[in-house]
Amino acid sequence: GEDVEQSLFLSVREGDSSVINCTYTDSSSTYLYWYKQEPGAGLQLLTYIFSNMDMKQDQRLTVLLNKKDKHLSLRIADTQTGDSAIYFCAERGVNNDMRFGAGTRLTVKP
Amino acid sequence: NAGVMQNPRHLVRRRGQEARLRCSPMKGHSHVYWYRQLPEEGLKFMVYLQKENIIDESGMPKERFSAEFPKEGPSILRIQQVVRGDSAAYFCASSDNNHRGQGSGNTIYFGEGSWLTVV
């Protein structure tokens, strides 16, 4: 199976919060990342968290890490239509390799 | 400060031809990664290179695909005798070598991708 798993779709209304979840399998992961991909474009780094942290907040984004359960989440507050995109979770191992999930397609409805 | 530069952005090849995708990492970055994204799918790791060395090619198909990162010039992902199933977006990413520092984040930066279409 996949090393990193995400649900494929999420739909929210504008102004609501979005929570995108991710599970990973490599307990030795050093960093975990969230990337955003808009149609026809590359991946834009949104935020990352070091594995010894359990939370990181950056403006509308909140990352929660449960290392015991190998669960990572990204919360987007006050979701806007411009947040509609695919969101990728990624883990980085000690060997410097990065593994991505399949991506969660977020749709924001007005 | 230019980011990761990939070219061509779009490439069309007939079955059996060769495709060459180029990637210039960010200035100061010596680590390059190639990923493939099939339509409606996530990113799949292909290969990780440092200058003149292939570090991890566990995601590379056994045949027709090769990658290099020479001492001078961009990294090249080469696909020989392309087939329709090779149609995908190929993303290059780069990072610096300070990956063991706790404060660095050692962020990987992505290029805009090269979209290969095999007809």
Side-chain angles (χ1 to χ4, degrees):
Chain A
E2 294 290 330
D3 293 335
V4 180
E5 293 191 356
Q6 304 177 237
S7 53
L8 293 181
F9 301 98
L10 177 66
S11 180
V12 301
R13 291 203 174 278
E14 192 173 17
D16 288 349
S17 292
S18 307
V19 179
I20 303 171
N21 294 302
C22 168
T23 56
Y24 60 99
T25 57
D26 187 354
S27 59
S28 63
S29 293
T30 55
Y31 291 93
L32 295 124
Y33 302 80
W34 284 103
Y35 284 85
K36 176 184 180 182
Q37 184 184 33
E38 297 186 9
L43 274 70
Q44 171 196 356
L45 177 69
L46 285 179
T47 187
Y48 65 89
I49 188 167
F50 186 55
S51 57
N52 70 352
M53 298 169 64
D54 52 20
M55 188 180 99
K56 181 177 180 180
Q57 186 151 3
D58 183 2
Q59 298 182 330
R60 292 191 297 123
L61 305 178
T62 303
V63 178
L64 295 178
L65 175 60
N66 181 329
K67 199 172 180 183
K68 174 176 169 289
D69 294 337
K70 299 191 189 71
H71 183 264
L72 182 75
S73 68
L74 173 70
R75 179 176 179 269
I76 305 173
D78 187 25
T79 314
Q80 302 298 307
T81 54
D83 295 324
S84 293
I86 301 175
Y87 290 81
F88 290 94
C89 165
E91 62 173 345
R92 181 174 211 129
V94 292
N95 294 323
N96 217 27
D97 57 330
M98 279 188 65
R99 308 286 165 165
F100 285 79
T104 299
R105 187 179 296 273
L106 173 65
T107 302
V108 182
K109 297 179 180 177
Chain B
N1 183 18
V4 179
M5 304 298 292
Q6 289 188 248
N7 70 83
R9 289 294 315 279
H10 298 276
L11 182 64
V12 179
R13 283 287 178 267
R14 293 188 183 279
R15 280 179 295 171
Q17 291 185 318
E18 179 180 286
R20 276 187 189 231
L21 309 177
R22 287 175 290 278
C23 170
S24 295
M26 280 182 74
K27 187 176 180 181
H29 285 189
S30 57
H31 298 225
V32 165
Y33 313 79
W34 284 95
Y35 291 83
R36 175 163 64 175
Q37 185 178 33
L38 293 168
E40 303 299 318
E41 292 191 18
L43 287 170
K44 296 292 185 183
F45 168 78
M46 298 182 75
V47 62
Y48 162 37
L49 311 107
Q50 293 180 23
K51 286 280 188 184
E52 300 184 280
N53 284 307
I54 296 174
I55 307 302
D56 180 355
E57 56 181 345
S58 58
M60 287 281 270
K62 294 287 186 286
E63 297 176 346
R64 302 188 297 107
F65 284 72
S66 61
E68 62 175 8
F69 188 18
K71 188 176 179 182
E72 302 290 338
S75 175
I76 306 284
L77 179 67
R78 183 178 176 214
I79 311 171
Q80 294 177 290
Q81 299 175 320
V82 296
V83 300
R84 287 224 172 102
D86 296 332
S87 295
Y90 292 84
F91 288 96
C92 172
S94 74
S95 68
D96 62 22
N97 60 3
N98 187 22
H99 65 88
R100 300 204 186 271
Q102 290 191 8
S104 70
N106 193 27
T107 302
I108 285 184
Y109 294 91
F110 280 81
E112 289 293 299
S114 290
W115 267 258
L116 172 65
T117 302
V118 180
V119 296

